C-alpha cells in the first residue's frame, strides 16, 4: 500500500527514470565494437554529473562543520576528476579515430 | 527567477547527455558528441554554482568549491593528457572510481547531517542515502582493483567459497541498511554507516579480484553503470533532474554496453563474472588433451625475403603486439614493405587485444593510416588473394577451433580466416596459449610457420633484414 | 519570465515530453519500409488513448448537461473506433506478413 | 489507494506503448507488439473507468460510457475486419480522423464547462484546450479528405494562391486563439470557439485537397502525428500521464515515419506537401520533350510461350496490379508456371504501389508465399540470370531515367534493373505515364515488348493460353 501511494506521489520521477532507461538502451543499441571503449569512457564522464551533488553538499556546509567541509572538498575534487578527466580522455581516444579517417 | 533559469540549465544538460551519448555511438559524430555532453555538463555545473538555492538561501563556501574544481580540473586534465594510449582503460577505471567515491562521500555527509539534526526523518531519504553509499563504494573499490589489475599491480586472487562469502557480505549490507532505514525515526547511529561503508568496500574488492585481467574492460563497463546509478541516487536526494537523468542514462546505457562487450567476445556476462573460477582448470585439461603434432619454424631472414617479394601482405595484430609496445616498429615494417611495392594491410578482429578497439587505438598511435585497417569481414574477403599473413601476438582471434570444435570455450566466435592465404607466419614468444587458455591448431597446420620472440624485437630484426636485402 | 517560472513549475512534465520525443524517434529509427504501413496503423491505434479523455469528460458530465452528454457520448464512440479499429486493422495487416513468413 | 492503482495502470500503459511501438518496427515481433500495446490500452481504459477520481468523486454516467464503448467497439471491429486489404490506408485514415474528432470534442466540452462555470480560469488551461481543438479538427478534416481521395470520392482540387489562403487561415486561427487565451479571465465567448473550430476544419480540408492521391500515405502519417499531439493536449489538460506519453510518442514517431516514407520515395516532405501544385506542369513538359521512337508489342500467345519455356521468370508488380485487383490471378499464373518447372519470383520495389508494403500486403492476400518475394537489392542481383521479366502495372519503379536523367523528378530513386534480364514484357493499358507523370524509356528499349490491357484480363488470358499449351 505505501509502495502504491509512493508510486503515485512520485509518478513523474518514476516516469522520468523509466523513460531514461529505455532511452539509454535505445541510444547505444547500434554501437560498432570499435567504439565500445570511447563510449564507455564518454558514459563515464557523464556520470561525473554527481559533482553537482558534491557542490551542493559543500555549498550548504556550515563553516564550523569540518567533517562536511573536508569530505565535501574531497568529493568536489574527485567529482571534478571524473568529469574533466573523463571528457578529456574520451576526446583523446576519439581524436585518434578521427586522425586515421583522413 | 534564478531557480527557473537553473531548471532550464539542467534541462539543457539532460538533453545534451542524451544527444551526446547518441552521437558517441556513431563513428562520424562521436567526437562532437563528447564535446556536446561536456558543454552540457559545464552549463549544469556553472548553473548549480551560481543559481542554486535551497530554502531561499544560496550556496556558500565558494572558496572551497572553486579550489576543489581547480585542483580536480588540473589533475584530471594532466592525467588524461599524459596517459599512454594503451593505458586508457586503466585511466577510465580510475576516473570511474573517483565518481563512485564522490557519490559515497555525499551520502556520508548527508547521513551525518540528518543524524545530527534530528528533524523529521523520511525513511525514503535514508534509503536513498544508503543506496548511494553502497553502490558508490562498491564502484570505487572495484574500480581501483580493476585499475590495479590492468596495471599489473594486482594479480588474480580467489579462494574457494569466495562466491558464498561475497553473497553473504552483500546480504549483510542489504539487511543492515534495511534495518537502519526501517528504524530511521528511532536511531541513526553513525557506527552503522561506517560498518556498511567498510563492508561495501570489501565487497567491491572481492567482486573484482578473482576476475581475470583480460575481462577488466567488461568489469569496468559494469562498474561504470553502477556509478551511474549512484549518481542517480544523488538526483533523487536533491530532486535534481540532471543528476537523475544523467545517472540513469549511464546506468542503462552502461548495462547494455557491458552486455554488448560480452557478446562481441561470444560470452555471457555471468560467464565473465563468475566463470573465471573453475574455467582455467577445465580449459587447461582441454589444451593438453589433443596431441597436435609438430610445428614448423621460419628464420628471420627467410621471413624477411618472403614478405619483401610478396605482392600482398596482411598483418594480424593481437594482444602480444600491445604488450610488446611494438606498434611503432610495426608501422615501420609496413612502410618499408610498401616502398618495395608490397600491398600491406592490417586485419583487425573486433576483440583482438584486451579492450574493444584496442588495435585501432594502438595502430592509430603509431600513425598507421585508417584505410589500411580492414574489418574482419573485409579481411576475410581479402585473405584468398593474400600471399603472406603475418600474425603478430594474436592467438585466439585466429584459432580455427572457434569454427570447428564445439567443445571449445571460444566456439562460435567469428575469427580471421588466415588459412585462406598462401602462407601464414606467426610471431609469439612460445607455444603458450592466449587469453582463452586453449591450444591453437593453426600453429600446426602445413601453411603456418612460427617466428618466435618478443614482437618488438622480432620486428626490429625484420626491419633490419629487409633494409639489407 | 512567466515562461521560465512555468518551466520550473512543470519541469517533470517537460522532461517527460522531451524524453518521449527522443524515444519516439529512437524507437522507430530502423523500421524497414515494408513495415511503414502497419507501423503507421499501430501508432494510429495508440493515439486512440485520447478515449481516456472522452471517458473522463463523459463521466464528469452533469445529468442535465445535454451538450456535454451528447458530445461526450459521441467522443467516446469515436475514440473507441480509433482504438479498436486501429488495433484490429493493424493486427490484420501483420497477420498477412506473418502467414507469408512460414 | 485506488487512485494509486490507477497511476500504476497508466504507467503500465505508457510502457506497453513504447515496447509495442518498438516491436512494431521489427518484422519478427510486429504482431506481438501490436497486441502488447492493445493490452496496455485496455488496462489504461479499464483503470480509468473503474478507478478514476476527481476531487474525491468517481465517474458517473456509466450507461453512456459503456454504451459508447460497445457501439464504437462493434463498429470498429466490423469495419476493420471487413475492409479489403487494398483499402487499408483509407481505413487507417478514417480511424485517425475519429481520434482527431474525439480530441476536438473533448476540447469543446471542456471549453463549455469553464465558460459556464466562472471560476478562476488558468490561461494555460485555455491554451491547451484550444491547441487540442485546432489540432484535433485539422486532423479530423484532413483525414476525411484523405480517405475520400484514396477512395476515389474526391479528386484533386487546387486554386491559385491556395498556399496564401492556407497561411492566412492558419494565422487567423492562431491569432484568435491567442486573443481568447490572453483575455480568458475577462471573456470566454463561445462564438470564438465555434469560429475557430470552423476555420480549423476548413484549414484541414484545404491542406489536404491539393495533394495528389498517391501521396496520401505520407499525408495520413503526418495527420497521424497531429492526432498524437492532440491526444497529448488532453494529457496536459487532465494531467494524465498515459495520454501525454502515448500522444507524444505517436507525435514524434509519426513525424519521423512521415520523413522516412518520403525518403523511401526519394522526395522531401516539403515537396510532397506543396510541390504538388506546380509539378504536374513541368513534368508533363519533360515527358513530351524527348522523342522516344517506336515500341514493340508482343501477342498474348507469344508471351505465354516465352514464359512457359523460360527457366527463370521474375514478376515485377506495381500499382496497376493493385488497381486491377489482379493479385489472385497473378498467383495462379505463378503456380501454373511453377508446375511447368519455371522458377518464378517476385521483385518487390519498396515504393511500388501507393503505400509502403503495398505489394507485400497485396500478394499476401493472394497467398503468395513469402520466400518468393525478393527485395530490391536481391532482385537486382538475380536479374542477370533471369530469362523473362514480367512487369505488371509497374512504371516508375522500373524507369531507367531515375539513374540517368538528372532532370527527372525521380532522379536518384533506386530502381529495379529489369534490363539486366534477357527479355522484358510490360503489361499496362496504354503508353500513359505512371505516378510521377513521366515517360519511361524502358518501353522503347530493344529488350522490351509491350502487352497492353487491363492486368486482370491479360493475366486471365495468359493463364488460359498456358493451360492450352
Ligand atoms: N578486445 C577485447 O575487448 C577483449 C576484452 C577481454 C578479452 N578479450 C579476449 O582477448 C583475446 C584476444 O585475442 P588475441 O588473439 O588478440 O590475443 P590472445 O589470444 O590473448 O593471444 C595473445 C598472444 O600474444 C602472445 N604474446 C604475448 N606477449 C607477447 C610479446 N611480447 N611478443 C609477441 N607475442 C606475445 C602470447 O603468446 P606467447 O605467450 O607465446 O608469446 C599470446 O598467445 C580473445 O580471446 C578475446 O576474447 C578481448
Ligand atoms: N509505395 C508508396 O508508399 C508510395 C506512396 C506514394 C507514391 N508512390 C509512388 O508511386 C509510384 C509507384 O510506382 P509503380 O511503378 O508501382 O506505379 P506507377 O509508376 O504509378 O505506374 C503504374 C502503372 O500501372 C498502369 N496501370 C494502371 N491501371 C492498370 C490496370 N488496371 N492494368 C494494368 N496496368 C495498369 C498505369 O499505366 P496505364 O495507365 O497505361 O495502364 C501506370 O503506368 C512511384 O512513383 C512512387 O514514388 C509510392
Amino acid at each position: 500500500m505505501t509502495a502504491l501511494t509512493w508510486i503515485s506521489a512520485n509518478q513523474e520521477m518514476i516516469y522520468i527514470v523509466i523513460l531514461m532507461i529505455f532511452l539509454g538502451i535505445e541510444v547505444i543499441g547500434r554501437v560498432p565494437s570499435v567504439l565500445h571503449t570511447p563510449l564507455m569512457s564518454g558514459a563515464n564522464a557523464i556520470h561525473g554529473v554527481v559533482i553537482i551533488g558534491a557542490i551542493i553538499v559543500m555549498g550548504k556546509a556550515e563553516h564550523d562543520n569540518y567533517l562536511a567541509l573536508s569530505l565535501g572538498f574531497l568529493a568536489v575534487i574527485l567529482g571534478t576528476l571524473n568529469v574533466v578527466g573523463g571528457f578529456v580522455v574520451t576526446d583523446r581516444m576519439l581524436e585518434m579515430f578521427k586522425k586515421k579517417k583522413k | 527567477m534564478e531557480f527557473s533559469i537553473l531548471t532550464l540549465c539542467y534541462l539543457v544538460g539532460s538533453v545534451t547527455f542524451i544527444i551526446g551519448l547518441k552521437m558517441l555511438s556513431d563513428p562520424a559524430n562521436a567526437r562532437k558528441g563528447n564535446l556536446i555532453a561536456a558543454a552540457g555538463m559545464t552549463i549544469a555545473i556553472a548553473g548549480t554554482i551560481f543559481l542554486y538555492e535551497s530554502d531561499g538561501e544560496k550556496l556558500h563556501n565558494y572558496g572551497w568549491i572553486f579550489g576543489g574544481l581547480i585542483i580536480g580540473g588540473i589533475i584530471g586534465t594532466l592525467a588524461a593528457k599524459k596517459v599512454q594510449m594503451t593505458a586508457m582503460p586503466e585511466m577510465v577505471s580510475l576516473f570511474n572510481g573517483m565518481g563512485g567515491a564522490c557519490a559515497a562521500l555525499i551520502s556520508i555527509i548527508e547521513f551525518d547531517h540528518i543524524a545530527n539534526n534530528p528533524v523529521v526523518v523520511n525513511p525514503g531519504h535514508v534509503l536513498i542515502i544508503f543506496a548511494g553509499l553502497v553502490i558508490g563504494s562498491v564502484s570505487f573499490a572495484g574500480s581501483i582493483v580493476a585499475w590495479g589489475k590492468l596495471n599489473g599491480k594486482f594479480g588474480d586472487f580467489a579462494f574457494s567459497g569466495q562466491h558464498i562469502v561475497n553473497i553473504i557480505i552483500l546480504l549483510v549490507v542489504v539487511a543492515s541498511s534495511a534495518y537502519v532505514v526501517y528504524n530511521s525515526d528511532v536511531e541513526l547511529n553513525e557506527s552503522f554507516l561506517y560498518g556498511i561503508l567498510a563492508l561495501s568496500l570489501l565487497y567491491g574488492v572481492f567482486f573484482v579480484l578473482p576476475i581475470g585481467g583480460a575481462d577488466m574492460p567488461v568489469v569496468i563497463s559494469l562498474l561504470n553503470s553502477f556509478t551511474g546509478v549512484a549518481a542517480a541516487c544523488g538526483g533523487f536526494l536533491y530532486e535534481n533532474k540532471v543528476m537523475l537523468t544523467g545517472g540513469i542514462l549511464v546506468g542503462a546505457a552502461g548495462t547494455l554496453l557491458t552486455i554488448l562487450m560480452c557478446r562481441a567476445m561470444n560470452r555471457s556476462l555471468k560467464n565473465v563474472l563468475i566463470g573465471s573460477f573453475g574455467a582455467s582448470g577445465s580449459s587447461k585439461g582441454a589444451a593438453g588433451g589433443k596431441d597436435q603434432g609438430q610445428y614448423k619454424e621460419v628464420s628471420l631472414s627467410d621471413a624477411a625475403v618472403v614478405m619483401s617479394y610478396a605482392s600482398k601482405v596482411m598483418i594480424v595484430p593481437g594482444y602480444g603486439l600491445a604488450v610488446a609496445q611494438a606498434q611503432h616498429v610495426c608501422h615501420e615494417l609496413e612502410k618499408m614493405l610498401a616502398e618495395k611495392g608490397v600491398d600491406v594491410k592490417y586485419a583487425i578482429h573486433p576483440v583482438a587485444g584486451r579492450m574493444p578497439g584496442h588495435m585501432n587505438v594502438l595502430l592509430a598511435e603509431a600513425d598507421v593510416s585508417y584505410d589500411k585497417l580492414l574489418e574482419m569481414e573485409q579481411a576475410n574477403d581479402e585473405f584468398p588473394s593474400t600471399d603472406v599473413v603475418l600474425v603478430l601476438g594474436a592467438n585466439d582471434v585466429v584459432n580455427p577451433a572457434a569454427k570447428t570444435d564445439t567443445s571449445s570455450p571460444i566456439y562460435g566466435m567469428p575469427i580471421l580466416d588466415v588459412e585462406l592465404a598462401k602462407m601464414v607466419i606467426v610471431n609469439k614468444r612460445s607455444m603458450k596459449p592466449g587469453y582463452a587458455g586453449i591450444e591453437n591448431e593453426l600453429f600446426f597446420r602445413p601453411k603456418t610457420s612460427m617466428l618466435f620472440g618478443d614482437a618488438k624485437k622480432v620486428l626490429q630484426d625484420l626491419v633490419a633484414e629487409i633494409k639489407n636485402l
Side-chain angles (χ1 to χ4, degrees), chain A, chain B:
Chain A
M1 301 305 106
T2 45
L4 274 175
T5 47
W6 181 85
I7 287 177
S8 76
N10 292 284
Q11 51 168 314
E12 274 100 356
M13 283 295 221
I14 295 171
Y15 265 96
I16 293 175
V17 168
I18 290 180
L19 299 187
M20 226 50 220
I21 292 175
F22 274 105
L23 259 181
I25 291 174
E26 280 301 317
V27 147
I28 68 155
R30 278 155 294 171
V31 59
S33 64
V34 254
L35 281 185
H36 283 171
T37 304
L39 182 63
M40 177 164 90
S41 175
N44 166 56
I46 290 176
H47 68 50
V49 72
V50 70
I51 176 77
I52 289 179
I55 293 173
I56 294 175
V57 153
M58 182 84 239
K60 287 201 300 194
E62 292 99 52
H63 289 286
D64 54 356
N65 185 345
Y66 296 110
L67 180 90
L69 283 179
S70 55
L71 291 187
F73 182 61
L74 188 58
V76 172
I77 294 181
L78 295 181
T80 314
L81 271 174
N82 184 346
V83 172
V84 176
F87 282 120
V88 173
V89 93
T90 311
D91 189 62
R92 266 192 70 197
M93 285 189 211
L94 291 168
E95 188 184 22
M96 292 265 141
F97 281 80
K98 195 75 171 251
K99 198 166 63 187
K100 299 179 305 184
K101 278 223 164 122
K102 283 185 205 142
Chain B
M1 220 305 267
E2 298 204 332
F3 202 71
S4 308
I5 297 181
L6 183 57
T7 310
L8 201 62
C9 289
Y10 286 168
L11 192 62
V12 170
S14 302
V15 169
T16 60
F17 292 167
I18 298 170
I19 295 177
L21 208 61
K22 167 130 195 76
M23 291 170 80
L24 265 168
S25 64
D26 162 19
N29 296 315
R31 198 167 174 204
K32 212 192 288 167
N34 185 51
L35 293 181
I36 288 177
M41 183 72 82
T42 311
I43 293 172
I45 292 177
T48 308
I49 296 178
F50 296 114
L51 304 171
Y52 186 87
E53 277 172 25
S54 136
D55 306 327
E57 222 187 312
K58 289 231 163 176
L59 294 179
H60 36 266
N61 299 320
Y62 276 118
W64 291 89
I65 292 177
F66 282 112
L69 286 173
I70 291 170
I71 295 177
I74 291 177
I75 301 179
T77 312
L78 287 183
K81 289 250 175 203
K82 285 274 152 64
V83 63
Q84 282 207 336
M85 267 298 142
T86 41
M88 291 227 168
E90 277 128 274
M91 202 75 233
V92 174
S93 182
L94 208 55
F95 289 143
N96 181 51
M98 303 298 101
C102 180
L105 288 174
I106 294 172
S107 285
I108 294 174
I109 302 171
E110 284 294 329
F111 186 93
D112 180 69
H113 185 75
I114 57 173
N116 292 327
N117 296 271
V119 277
V120 206
V121 177
N122 177 345
H125 208 70
V126 181
L127 177 68
I128 293 167
I129 289 178
F130 273 104
L133 176 73
V134 172
I135 303 173
S137 21
V138 168
S139 179
F140 167 67
S143 299
I144 297 300
V145 174
W147 167 77
K149 292 195 126 193
L150 281 175
N151 240 347
K153 289 210 173 53
F154 308 150
D156 293 4
F157 167 81
F159 52 85
S160 64
Q162 180 159 0
H163 278 311
I164 316 287
V165 175
N166 279 4
I167 291 172
I168 291 174
I169 298 179
L170 203 60
L171 284 181
V172 173
V173 168
V174 171
S176 42
S177 304
Y179 176 81
V180 179
V181 171
Y182 194 74
N183 294 304
S184 55
D185 40 354
V186 189
E187 44 163 345
L188 278 176
N189 195 321
E190 303 233 339
S191 63
F192 269 108
L193 179 81
Y194 292 109
I196 289 173
L197 172 64
L199 282 177
S200 305
L201 291 171
L202 189 67
Y203 179 77
V205 172
F206 275 15
F207 171 64
V208 177
L209 256 191
I211 301 171
D215 280 333
M216 280 308 122
V218 176
V219 173
I220 296 173
S221 177
L222 190 66
L223 294 174
N224 196 18
S225 75
F226 282 9
T227 311
V229 176
C233 289
F236 263 115
L237 203 57
Y238 302 115
E239 304 228 331
N240 183 309
K241 301 289 176 306
V242 76
M243 286 174 77
L244 182 70
T245 51
I248 297 286
L249 183 69
V250 173
T255 307
L256 179 62
L257 183 60
T258 310
I259 293 167
L260 292 177
M261 284 166 83
C262 290
R263 215 179 273 166
M265 294 192 295
N266 202 33
R267 293 173 65 189
S268 73
L269 181 57
K270 192 172 151 236
N271 182 271
V272 168
L273 294 186
I274 65 174
S276 43
F277 284 30
S280 53
S282 76
S283 63
K284 257 180 221 141
K290 266 187 270 177
D291 190 6
Q292 296 280 8
Q294 287 289 282
Y295 56 83
K296 257 199 324 283
E297 281 191 57
V298 62
S299 71
L300 258 172
S301 52
D302 283 357
V305 171
V306 166
M307 287 197 285
S308 305
Y309 293 104
S311 68
K312 187 163 173 186
V313 169
M314 192 86 82
I315 297 176
V316 177
Y319 176 62
L321 186 78
V323 174
Q325 285 288 315
Q327 63 273 32
H328 294 282
V329 48
C330 179
H331 181 44
E332 219 172 297
L333 176 76
E334 170 220 319
K335 281 190 297 188
M336 191 155 289
L337 288 173
E339 272 169 31
K340 293 203 179 277
V342 185
D343 177 15
V344 188
K345 286 189 183 143
Y346 294 82
I348 309 291
H349 190 283
V351 300
R354 289 294 180 269
M355 63 173 189
H358 200 165
M359 293 300 122
N360 300 65
V361 170
L362 195 75
L363 294 174
E365 202 198 343
D367 267 328
V368 172
S369 100
Y370 188 75
D371 48 274
K372 293 221 172 294
L373 309 188
L374 301 184
E375 302 207 2
M376 184 168 54
E377 290 78 21
Q378 285 174 288
N380 281 337
D381 288 346
E382 294 208 7
F383 281 129
S385 62
T386 302
D387 301 301
V388 183
V389 172
L390 178 63
V391 178
L392 289 173
N395 188 339
D396 296 343
V397 299
V398 293
N399 191 336
K403 291 199 302 188
T404 53
D405 179 2
T406 47
S407 72
S408 165
I410 62 168
Y411 180 72
M413 178 171 91
I415 59 158
L416 287 167
D417 261 330
V418 292
E419 282 187 290
L420 297 174
K422 301 207 180 64
M423 180 179 179
V424 181
I425 298 177
V426 177
N427 163 243
K428 57 202 296 286
R429 295 163 312 172
S430 67
M431 290 303 285
K432 284 211 213 100
Y435 168 65
I438 48 169
E439 286 272 359
N440 191 337
E441 231 183 294
L442 174 75
F443 305 155
F444 305 95
R445 294 279 173 90
K447 275 184 187 171
T448 309
S449 313
M450 304 301 293
L451 181 59
F452 289 115
D454 176 80
K456 191 168 188 173
K457 177 86 183 44
V458 166
L459 284 170
Q460 281 165 342
D461 294 348
L462 270 178
V463 166
E465 286 280 345
I466 294 177
K467 227 177 229 153
N468 295 336
L469 272 182

